[in-house]
């Protein structure tokens, strides 16, 4: 993912981003989590990350940290990092919708 971001190969970034999140969801082995995220994940075009090319480097750093925490079997650290990643990504998405008049300000 790092190499794809550096090369601005965002088609590959889209695929790897989707695989990263799908793998984490599978590893969680949580039917509740799967059910909760299925509808929004399936209704969100995978390519939405292309709308945030300026944040791709930061998202990749976040994913690298999450991956490291998982390799070290640091469940609490991985959970905290993933929560921060999801919150930041969500804030970017909300900002994107507001800029386009799809959500009211405030």
């Amino acid at each position: 993912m790092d190499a794809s971001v550096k090369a601005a190969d965002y088609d590959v970034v889209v695929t790897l981003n989707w695989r990263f999140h799908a793998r984490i969801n599978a590893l969680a082995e949580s039917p509740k989590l799967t059910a909760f995220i299925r509808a929004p994940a399936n209704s969100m075009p995978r390519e939405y990350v292309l709308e945030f090319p300026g944040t791709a480097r930061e998202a990749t750093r976040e994913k690298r940290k999450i991956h490291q925490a998982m390799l070290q079997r640091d469940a609490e650290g991985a959970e905290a990092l993933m929560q921060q990643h999801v919150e930041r990504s969500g804030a970017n998405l909300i900002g994107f919708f507001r800029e386009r008049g799809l959500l009211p300000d405030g």
Side-chain angles (χ1 to χ4, degrees), residues 4-23:
S4 299
V5 169
K6 288 177 187 172
D9 189 350
Y10 292 108
D11 289 332
V12 173
V13 172
V14 166
T15 299
L16 294 175
N17 180 65
W18 189 262
R19 285 184 188 166
F20 175 84
H21 286 279
R23 184 69 178 135

Side-chain angles (χ1 to χ4, degrees), residues 20 58-72 77-78 81 84:
F20 175 84
E58 179 63 25
T60 300
R61 278 192 293 274
E62 291 171 354
K63 289 178 177 98
R64 192 177 326 109
K65 289 178 183 177
I66 293 163
H67 184 239
Q68 278 301 106
M70 292 173 70
L71 289 174
Q72 295 170 358
L81 290 165
Q84 292 168 6

